[in-house]
Amino acid sequence: MLIHVTTLGDYLAKHNATPAVKSVIATLTHTCEEISELLKRGALADILGEAGNQNVQGEEQKKLDVIANELLLNALANNKYCAGVASEELDHATAANCGGEVLVLFDPLDGSSNIDINMAVGTIFSVLPYNNQGQTATDDDFLQKGTEQLAAGYVLYGTSTILALTTGDGVVMFSYDPNLRQFILIKDRVNVPVDTKEYAINASNYRYWLPPMQRYIDECNAGEAGVRGKDFNMRWIAAMVGDVHRILTRGGLFSYPFDTKFANKAGKLRLMYEANPMSFIIEQAGGASSDALNRILDIKPTSIHQRVPVVLGAKNEVEYIKKLHVEMG
Ligand code: AHG
Ligand code: MN
Ligand code: MN
């Protein structure tokens, strides 16, 4: 029996996006296949453990943060459409090809605390237009709102390797077939239900949250007897890619809210290569994404590594959290 499958290549060939966007998506996803293969070999490929240095944000780099970053950088440097790249693991943006038409931002390895315990990690990417073609790209060229994104996606290295992708026309999902060495389409209209009974948050930070977020979680935890009138379930993967993937699969609410744990940090997640691409994906799947009050995609970035509070997923929950923040000031 011949089973017809749609590969990522087939999908892109028919899809309405510019050659530049299609080409960088192909480059990114090919590189993620390599990262996926390395992860599968784990300790046998000597990729686990600390790299022994810190990134620009003062975080300890894991070996795989560095390896994934270099693989992506090298691949994109050889893509003529790519004018520049920005990464969690680079202090500043790096110019690629000045004739390029797009800029690519990525978190090469999201959830890196999960690497050494054999749990889910991912790669997140965002593609922006390059508006100074012919000139060398600088950090300033990247500081565009999330609404300007031409494409966004993530690859989740879980029990299987999954790609979720948007170019502004809904969200499609692919699963990597290691035998065919191809991403195969598995879902072509991903939808996030407007309501949910499941939330994801690092509850150990409760004492650092603002009162409206404490109230929201208190109300969820009060269950059927409380004002929400229903029992909630909690899940936390410690990799945004994993938590967002669960929401695209069975709905839910994810938050890494504002907290006072560290001075001068508005939140933990980075606007340009975590919150923006994930917000684009979630909105394209019918969900919502905010910093508790404002739409993430409308925030004008001021720096590449800027952090932002994140509340995303089921539309009615995101709106309810905003209502609590407005009412409680
Ligand atoms: P990264 O590994 O790229 O630094 O990102 C990890 C982020 C995010 O993916 C996740 O939701 C969060 O950090 C986990 O934070 P906790 O350590 O508070 O669980
Ligand atoms: Mn991350
Ligand atoms: Mn990372």
Side-chain angles (χ1 to χ4, degrees):
M1 185 174 65
L2 187 66
I3 300 172
H4 178 72
V5 295
T6 302
T7 65
L8 177 60
D10 297 336
Y11 172 82
L12 290 175
K14 289 193 193 141
H15 193 64
N16 186 20
T18 64
V21 169
K22 292 182 187 184
S23 176
V24 294
I25 290 172
T27 299
L28 284 159
T29 52
H30 275 310
T31 313
C32 290
E33 292 169 15
E34 286 180 58
I35 297 170
S36 173
E37 296 295 337
L38 280 173
L39 275 162
K40 229 169 281 148
R41 297 203 63 229
L44 305 177
D46 190 26
I47 54 156
L48 305 186
E50 307 293 326
N53 35 36
Q54 290 190 338
N55 65 16
V56 64
Q57 298 154 78
E59 295 160 345
E60 289 301 329
Q61 287 178 313
K62 299 275 186 185
K63 273 188 205 164
L64 206 67
D65 287 325
V66 176
I67 295 168
N69 189 49
E70 276 168 10
L71 287 171
L72 289 162
L73 284 180
N74 291 339
L76 289 162
N78 290 315
N79 184 314
K80 68 174 181 182
Y81 294 108
C82 178
V85 292
S87 160
E88 179 187 2
E89 309 302 340
L90 290 177
D91 297 9
H92 292 286
T94 301
N97 302 295
C98 64
E101 296 167 33
V102 294
L103 302 170
V104 180
L105 301 92
F106 51 83
D107 177 352
L109 225 287
D110 176 63
S112 37
S113 71
N114 279 358
I115 301 170
D116 296 342
I117 56 166
N118 206 19
M119 289 295 140
V121 291
T123 297
I124 309 172
F125 59 85
S126 163
V127 182
L128 287 166
Y130 182 49
N131 301 318
N132 281 320
Q133 223 182 329
Q135 294 173 38
T136 305
T138 66
D139 280 13
D140 286 348
D141 294 309
F142 286 79
L143 304 180
Q144 306 179 41
K145 290 182 186 173
T147 48
E148 300 301 310
Q149 290 173 102
L150 301 171
Y154 65 75
V155 174
L156 169 67
Y157 313 106
T159 46
S160 52
T161 295
I162 303 268
L163 163 70
L165 180 70
T166 185
T167 56
D169 179 23
V171 178
V172 282
M173 226 179 247
F174 298 81
S175 186
Y176 182 63
D177 184 331
N179 297 327
L180 295 176
R181 293 184 171 264
Q182 300 271 8
F183 278 102
I184 307 296
L185 186 69
I186 52 169
K187 223 184 247 183
D188 71 356
R189 276 282 150 196
V190 179
N191 178 50
V192 174
V194 294
D195 292 306
T196 186
K197 295 166 90 171
E198 192 163 70
Y199 69 82
I201 199 162
N202 183 344
S204 69
N205 292 323
Y206 180 93
R207 67 192 179 285
Y208 301 113
W209 300 339
L210 297 174
M213 189 51 71
Q214 292 176 330
R215 161 101 165 256
Y216 173 73
I217 295 299
D218 288 345
E219 288 183 358
C220 291
N221 292 347
E224 212 174 330
V227 292
R228 299 301 307 273
K230 58 183 181 182
D231 291 336
F232 279 77
N233 185 31
M234 197 286 287
R235 284 290 183 272
W236 180 248
I237 293 176
M240 187 190 199
V241 172
D243 286 307
V244 168
H245 186 68
R246 188 186 54 255
I247 291 173
L248 291 186
T249 308
R250 68 174 191 215
L253 185 280
F254 166 87
S255 182
Y256 214 110
F258 177 89
D259 68 41
T260 56
K261 193 170 180 181
F262 299 106
N264 309 324
K265 279 189 189 172
K268 177 168 184 187
L269 299 174
R270 278 54 61 105
L271 173 63
M272 299 215 66
Y273 42 82
E274 292 179 318
N276 271 344
M278 291 310 205
S279 301
F280 191 20
I281 292 168
I282 287 288
E283 284 197 6
Q284 283 295 314
S289 179
S290 80
D291 66 359
L293 283 167
N294 310 296
R295 185 184 180 213
I296 298 259
L297 294 180
D298 284 333
I299 298 173
K300 173 82 178 97
T302 53
S303 76
I304 284 183
H305 299 291
Q306 148 178 13
R307 293 174 192 263
V308 68
V310 173
V311 176
L312 62 75
K315 220 176 204 165
N316 289 343
E317 295 298 306
V318 176
E319 271 163 26
Y320 184 61
I321 291 171
K322 174 175 176 175
K323 183 170 167 271
L324 291 177
H325 280 77
V326 170
E327 284 172 8
M328 296 173 70

